[in-house]
PDB file of all heavy atoms in Angstrom:
ATOM      1  N   GLN A1323     -12.370 -60.334  14.850  1.00 96.00           N
ATOM      2  CA  GLN A1323     -11.169 -60.099  14.047  1.00 96.00           C
ATOM      3  C   GLN A1323     -10.294 -59.062  14.645  1.00 96.00           C
ATOM      4  O   GLN A1323     -10.847 -58.184  15.381  1.00 96.00           O
ATOM      5  CB  GLN A1323     -11.621 -59.719  12.708  1.00 96.00           C
ATOM      6  CG  GLN A1323     -12.251 -60.808  11.850  1.00 96.00           C
ATOM      7  CD  GLN A1323     -12.523 -60.437  10.466  1.00 96.00           C
ATOM      8  OE1 GLN A1323     -12.741 -59.180  10.079  1.00 96.00           O
ATOM      9  NE2 GLN A1323     -12.605 -61.343   9.532  1.00 96.00           N
ATOM     10  N   ARG A1324      -9.016 -59.025  14.158  1.00 95.00           N
ATOM     11  CA  ARG A1324      -8.121 -57.954  14.653  1.00 95.00           C
ATOM     12  C   ARG A1324      -8.611 -56.637  13.929  1.00 95.00           C
ATOM     13  O   ARG A1324      -8.839 -56.649  12.785  1.00 95.00           O
ATOM     14  CB  ARG A1324      -6.732 -58.328  14.263  1.00 95.00           C
ATOM     15  CG  ARG A1324      -5.629 -57.440  14.915  1.00 95.00           C
ATOM     16  CD  ARG A1324      -4.192 -57.897  14.711  1.00 95.00           C
ATOM     17  NE  ARG A1324      -4.058 -59.336  15.329  1.00 95.00           N
ATOM     18  CZ  ARG A1324      -2.780 -59.685  15.423  1.00 95.00           C
ATOM     19  NH1 ARG A1324      -1.767 -59.121  14.845  1.00 95.00           N
ATOM     20  NH2 ARG A1324      -2.617 -60.967  15.875  1.00 95.00           N
ATOM     21  N   GLU A1325      -8.616 -55.559  14.743  1.00 96.00           N
ATOM     22  CA  GLU A1325      -9.081 -54.273  14.265  1.00 96.00           C
ATOM     23  C   GLU A1325      -8.061 -53.228  14.545  1.00 96.00           C
ATOM     24  O   GLU A1325      -7.383 -53.202  15.548  1.00 96.00           O
ATOM     25  CB  GLU A1325     -10.551 -53.957  14.832  1.00 96.00           C
ATOM     26  CG  GLU A1325     -10.518 -53.725  16.338  1.00 96.00           C
ATOM     27  CD  GLU A1325     -11.847 -53.204  16.817  1.00 96.00           C
ATOM     28  OE1 GLU A1325     -12.662 -52.788  15.940  1.00 96.00           O
ATOM     29  OE2 GLU A1325     -12.081 -53.044  17.903  1.00 96.00           O
ATOM     30  N   LEU A1326      -8.121 -52.231  13.639  1.00 96.00           N
ATOM     31  CA  LEU A1326      -7.109 -51.156  13.863  1.00 96.00           C
ATOM     32  C   LEU A1326      -7.711 -50.257  14.988  1.00 96.00           C
ATOM     33  O   LEU A1326      -8.974 -49.972  14.928  1.00 96.00           O
ATOM     34  CB  LEU A1326      -6.992 -50.288  12.548  1.00 96.00           C
ATOM     35  CG  LEU A1326      -6.238 -49.029  12.655  1.00 96.00           C
ATOM     36  CD1 LEU A1326      -4.684 -49.319  12.958  1.00 96.00           C
ATOM     37  CD2 LEU A1326      -6.248 -48.218  11.401  1.00 96.00           C
ATOM     38  N   VAL A1327      -6.909 -49.858  15.845  1.00 97.00           N
ATOM     39  CA  VAL A1327      -7.299 -48.949  17.002  1.00 97.00           C
ATOM     40  C   VAL A1327      -6.802 -47.450  16.569  1.00 97.00           C
ATOM     41  O   VAL A1327      -7.557 -46.560  16.545  1.00 97.00           O
ATOM     42  CB  VAL A1327      -6.650 -49.351  18.299  1.00 97.00           C
ATOM     43  CG1 VAL A1327      -7.005 -48.333  19.349  1.00 97.00           C
ATOM     44  CG2 VAL A1327      -7.198 -50.698  18.681  1.00 97.00           C
ATOM     45  N   ALA A1328      -5.420 -47.404  16.227  1.00 96.00           N
ATOM     46  CA  ALA A1328      -4.880 -46.125  16.073  1.00 96.00           C
ATOM     47  C   ALA A1328      -3.635 -46.270  15.279  1.00 96.00           C
ATOM     48  O   ALA A1328      -2.867 -47.329  15.553  1.00 96.00           O
ATOM     49  CB  ALA A1328      -4.760 -45.263  17.184  1.00 96.00           C
ATOM     50  N   GLY A1329      -3.282 -45.375  14.449  1.00 93.00           N
ATOM     51  CA  GLY A1329      -2.031 -45.412  13.715  1.00 93.00           C
ATOM     52  C   GLY A1329      -1.458 -43.929  13.519  1.00 93.00           C
ATOM     53  O   GLY A1329      -2.241 -43.021  13.442  1.00 93.00           O
ATOM     54  N   VAL A1330      -0.174 -43.839  13.316  1.00 90.00           N
ATOM     55  CA  VAL A1330       0.423 -42.658  13.002  1.00 90.00           C
ATOM     56  C   VAL A1330       1.528 -42.754  11.945  1.00 90.00           C
ATOM     57  O   VAL A1330       2.274 -43.733  12.011  1.00 90.00           O
ATOM     58  CB  VAL A1330       1.196 -41.979  14.336  1.00 90.00           C
ATOM     59  CG1 VAL A1330       2.035 -42.809  14.962  1.00 90.00           C
ATOM     60  CG2 VAL A1330       1.691 -40.635  14.013  1.00 90.00           C
ATOM     61  N   SER A1331       1.542 -41.910  11.051  1.00 85.00           N
ATOM     62  CA  SER A1331       2.500 -42.108   9.922  1.00 85.00           C
ATOM     63  C   SER A1331       3.683 -40.984  10.002  1.00 85.00           C
ATOM     64  O   SER A1331       3.427 -39.962  10.574  1.00 85.00           O
ATOM     65  CB  SER A1331       1.873 -41.905   8.619  1.00 85.00           C
ATOM     66  OG  SER A1331       1.263 -40.563   8.410  1.00 85.00           O
ATOM     67  N   SER A1332       4.836 -41.443   9.572  1.00 75.00           N
ATOM     68  CA  SER A1332       5.995 -40.492   9.676  1.00 75.00           C
ATOM     69  C   SER A1332       6.805 -40.692   8.444  1.00 75.00           C
ATOM     70  O   SER A1332       6.839 -41.795   7.821  1.00 75.00           O
ATOM     71  CB  SER A1332       6.782 -40.776  10.861  1.00 75.00           C
ATOM     72  OG  SER A1332       6.125 -40.435  11.999  1.00 75.00           O
ATOM     73  N   THR A1333       7.514 -39.688   8.203  1.00 67.00           N
ATOM     74  CA  THR A1333       8.562 -39.723   7.089  1.00 67.00           C
ATOM     75  C   THR A1333       9.874 -39.287   7.805  1.00 67.00           C
ATOM     76  O   THR A1333       9.909 -38.083   8.045  1.00 67.00           O
ATOM     77  CB  THR A1333       8.351 -38.943   5.909  1.00 67.00           C
ATOM     78  OG1 THR A1333       7.062 -39.340   5.346  1.00 67.00           O
ATOM     79  CG2 THR A1333       9.324 -39.002   4.742  1.00 67.00           C
ATOM     80  N   GLY A1334      10.774 -40.253   7.990  1.00 60.00           N
ATOM     81  CA  GLY A1334      11.931 -39.845   8.801  1.00 60.00           C
ATOM     82  C   GLY A1334      11.619 -39.400  10.144  1.00 60.00           C
ATOM     83  O   GLY A1334      10.857 -40.149  10.814  1.00 60.00           O
ATOM     84  N   THR A1335      11.947 -38.214  10.546  1.00 59.00           N
ATOM     85  CA  THR A1335      11.614 -37.636  11.882  1.00 59.00           C
ATOM     86  C   THR A1335      10.311 -36.825  11.926  1.00 59.00           C
ATOM     87  O   THR A1335       9.925 -36.310  12.956  1.00 59.00           O
ATOM     88  CB  THR A1335      12.796 -36.903  12.456  1.00 59.00           C
ATOM     89  OG1 THR A1335      13.009 -35.790  11.602  1.00 59.00           O
ATOM     90  CG2 THR A1335      13.962 -37.787  12.522  1.00 59.00           C
ATOM     91  N   ILE A1336       9.608 -36.748  10.798  1.00 61.00           N
ATOM     92  CA  ILE A1336       8.489 -35.881  10.854  1.00 61.00           C
ATOM     93  C   ILE A1336       7.243 -36.620  10.834  1.00 61.00           C
ATOM     94  O   ILE A1336       6.956 -37.520  10.032  1.00 61.00           O
ATOM     95  CB  ILE A1336       8.470 -35.028   9.400  1.00 61.00           C
ATOM     96  CG1 ILE A1336       9.824 -34.211   9.352  1.00 61.00           C
ATOM     97  CG2 ILE A1336       7.247 -34.092   9.417  1.00 61.00           C
ATOM     98  CD1 ILE A1336      10.014 -33.439   7.986  1.00 61.00           C
ATOM     99  N   ALA A1337       6.403 -36.364  11.902  1.00 62.00           N
ATOM    100  CA  ALA A1337       5.174 -37.067  12.005  1.00 62.00           C
ATOM    101  C   ALA A1337       4.140 -36.410  11.141  1.00 62.00           C
ATOM    102  O   ALA A1337       4.208 -35.190  10.941  1.00 62.00           O
ATOM    103  CB  ALA A1337       4.702 -36.895  13.490  1.00 62.00           C
ATOM    104  N   HIS A1338       3.170 -37.185  10.624  1.00 69.00           N
ATOM    105  CA  HIS A1338       2.287 -36.748   9.710  1.00 69.00           C
ATOM    106  C   HIS A1338       0.848 -36.872  10.382  1.00 69.00           C
ATOM    107  O   HIS A1338       0.637 -36.312  11.331  1.00 69.00           O
ATOM    108  CB  HIS A1338       2.335 -37.476   8.439  1.00 69.00           C
ATOM    109  CG  HIS A1338       3.548 -37.221   7.540  1.00 69.00           C
ATOM    110  ND1 HIS A1338       3.854 -35.956   6.957  1.00 69.00           N
ATOM    111  CD2 HIS A1338       4.606 -37.926   7.272  1.00 69.00           C
ATOM    112  CE1 HIS A1338       4.971 -35.954   6.467  1.00 69.00           C
ATOM    113  NE2 HIS A1338       5.504 -37.171   6.486  1.00 69.00           N
ATOM    114  N   SER A1339       0.075 -37.703   9.807  1.00 82.00           N
ATOM    115  CA  SER A1339      -1.228 -37.775  10.411  1.00 82.00           C
ATOM    116  C   SER A1339      -1.534 -38.935  11.391  1.00 82.00           C
ATOM    117  O   SER A1339      -0.860 -39.983  11.157  1.00 82.00           O
ATOM    118  CB  SER A1339      -2.220 -37.838   9.278  1.00 82.00           C
ATOM    119  OG  SER A1339      -2.011 -38.921   8.420  1.00 82.00           O
ATOM    120  N   SER A1340      -2.593 -38.799  12.265  1.00 87.00           N
ATOM    121  CA  SER A1340      -2.928 -39.889  13.094  1.00 87.00           C
ATOM    122  C   SER A1340      -4.338 -40.303  12.626  1.00 87.00           C
ATOM    123  O   SER A1340      -5.112 -39.435  12.093  1.00 87.00           O
ATOM    124  CB  SER A1340      -2.915 -39.539  14.551  1.00 87.00           C
ATOM    125  OG  SER A1340      -1.663 -39.093  14.911  1.00 87.00           O
ATOM    126  N   THR A1341      -4.626 -41.558  12.798  1.00 88.00           N
ATOM    127  CA  THR A1341      -5.961 -42.109  12.490  1.00 88.00           C
ATOM    128  C   THR A1341      -6.470 -42.986  13.680  1.00 88.00           C
ATOM    129  O   THR A1341      -5.730 -43.605  14.290  1.00 88.00           O
ATOM    130  CB  THR A1341      -5.986 -42.864  11.210  1.00 88.00           C
ATOM    131  OG1 THR A1341      -7.280 -43.231  10.910  1.00 88.00           O
ATOM    132  CG2 THR A1341      -5.083 -44.176  11.338  1.00 88.00           C
ATOM    133  N   TYR A1342      -7.749 -42.936  13.939  1.00 93.00           N
ATOM    134  CA  TYR A1342      -8.317 -43.624  15.020  1.00 93.00           C
ATOM    135  C   TYR A1342      -9.621 -44.328  14.511  1.00 93.00           C
ATOM    136  O   TYR A1342     -10.290 -43.837  13.559  1.00 93.00           O
ATOM    137  CB  TYR A1342      -8.795 -42.678  16.219  1.00 93.00           C
ATOM    138  CG  TYR A1342      -7.609 -41.937  16.779  1.00 93.00           C
ATOM    139  CD1 TYR A1342      -7.128 -40.675  16.288  1.00 93.00           C
ATOM    140  CD2 TYR A1342      -6.974 -42.484  17.897  1.00 93.00           C
ATOM    141  CE1 TYR A1342      -6.180 -40.016  16.904  1.00 93.00           C
ATOM    142  CE2 TYR A1342      -5.881 -41.820  18.517  1.00 93.00           C
ATOM    143  CZ  TYR A1342      -5.510 -40.501  17.991  1.00 93.00           C
ATOM    144  OH  TYR A1342      -4.410 -39.857  18.575  1.00 93.00           O
ATOM    145  N   SER A1343      -9.940 -45.417  15.181  1.00 94.00           N
ATOM    146  CA  SER A1343     -11.224 -46.051  14.926  1.00 94.00           C
ATOM    147  C   SER A1343     -12.315 -45.224  15.615  1.00 94.00           C
ATOM    148  O   SER A1343     -12.081 -44.449  16.589  1.00 94.00           O
ATOM    149  CB  SER A1343     -11.205 -47.421  15.357  1.00 94.00           C
ATOM    150  OG  SER A1343     -11.197 -47.489  16.832  1.00 94.00           O
ATOM    151  N   ASP A1344     -13.593 -45.316  15.041  1.00 95.00           N
ATOM    152  CA  ASP A1344     -14.553 -44.509  15.617  1.00 95.00           C
ATOM    153  C   ASP A1344     -14.820 -44.832  16.969  1.00 95.00           C
ATOM    154  O   ASP A1344     -15.261 -44.009  17.860  1.00 95.00           O
ATOM    155  CB  ASP A1344     -15.788 -44.712  14.874  1.00 95.00           C
ATOM    156  CG  ASP A1344     -15.757 -43.973  13.447  1.00 95.00           C
ATOM    157  OD1 ASP A1344     -14.875 -43.108  13.205  1.00 95.00           O
ATOM    158  OD2 ASP A1344     -16.646 -44.437  12.508  1.00 95.00           O
ATOM    159  N   SER A1345     -14.593 -46.027  17.323  1.00 96.00           N
ATOM    160  CA  SER A1345     -14.951 -46.556  18.758  1.00 96.00           C
ATOM    161  C   SER A1345     -14.058 -45.860  19.758  1.00 96.00           C
ATOM    162  O   SER A1345     -14.317 -46.018  21.054  1.00 96.00           O
ATOM    163  CB  SER A1345     -14.850 -48.062  18.823  1.00 96.00           C
ATOM    164  OG  SER A1345     -13.687 -48.533  18.622  1.00 96.00           O
ATOM    165  N   VAL A1346     -12.907 -45.368  19.437  1.00 97.00           N
ATOM    166  CA  VAL A1346     -11.856 -44.932  20.394  1.00 97.00           C
ATOM    167  C   VAL A1346     -11.669 -43.378  20.273  1.00 97.00           C
ATOM    168  O   VAL A1346     -10.985 -42.807  21.088  1.00 97.00           O
ATOM    169  CB  VAL A1346     -10.622 -45.605  20.435  1.00 97.00           C
ATOM    170  CG1 VAL A1346     -10.799 -47.090  20.477  1.00 97.00           C
ATOM    171  CG2 VAL A1346      -9.843 -45.248  19.144  1.00 97.00           C
ATOM    172  N   LYS A1347     -12.134 -42.718  19.270  1.00 96.00           N
ATOM    173  CA  LYS A1347     -11.952 -41.316  19.032  1.00 96.00           C
ATOM    174  C   LYS A1347     -12.404 -40.527  20.264  1.00 96.00           C
ATOM    175  O   LYS A1347     -13.462 -40.737  20.883  1.00 96.00           O
ATOM    176  CB  LYS A1347     -12.781 -40.791  17.765  1.00 96.00           C
ATOM    177  CG  LYS A1347     -12.005 -41.167  16.426  1.00 96.00           C
ATOM    178  CD  LYS A1347     -12.884 -40.622  15.282  1.00 96.00           C
ATOM    179  CE  LYS A1347     -12.231 -40.914  14.015  1.00 96.00           C
ATOM    180  NZ  LYS A1347     -12.969 -40.481  12.792  1.00 96.00           N
ATOM    181  N   GLY A1348     -11.515 -39.578  20.690  1.00 96.00           N
ATOM    182  CA  GLY A1348     -11.891 -38.744  21.867  1.00 96.00           C
ATOM    183  C   GLY A1348     -11.497 -39.432  23.116  1.00 96.00           C
ATOM    184  O   GLY A1348     -11.427 -38.654  24.187  1.00 96.00           O
TER     185      GLY A1348
END
Side-chain angles (χ1 to χ4, degrees):
Q1323 290 186 332
R1324 193 174 291 192
E1325 62 172 354
L1326 176 67
V1327 177
V1330 57
S1331 64
S1332 293
T1333 302
T1335 59
I1336 301 174
H1338 296 292
S1339 60
S1340 300
T1341 186
Y1342 298 91
S1343 71
D1344 288 342
S1345 61
V1346 306
K1347 280 181 182 177

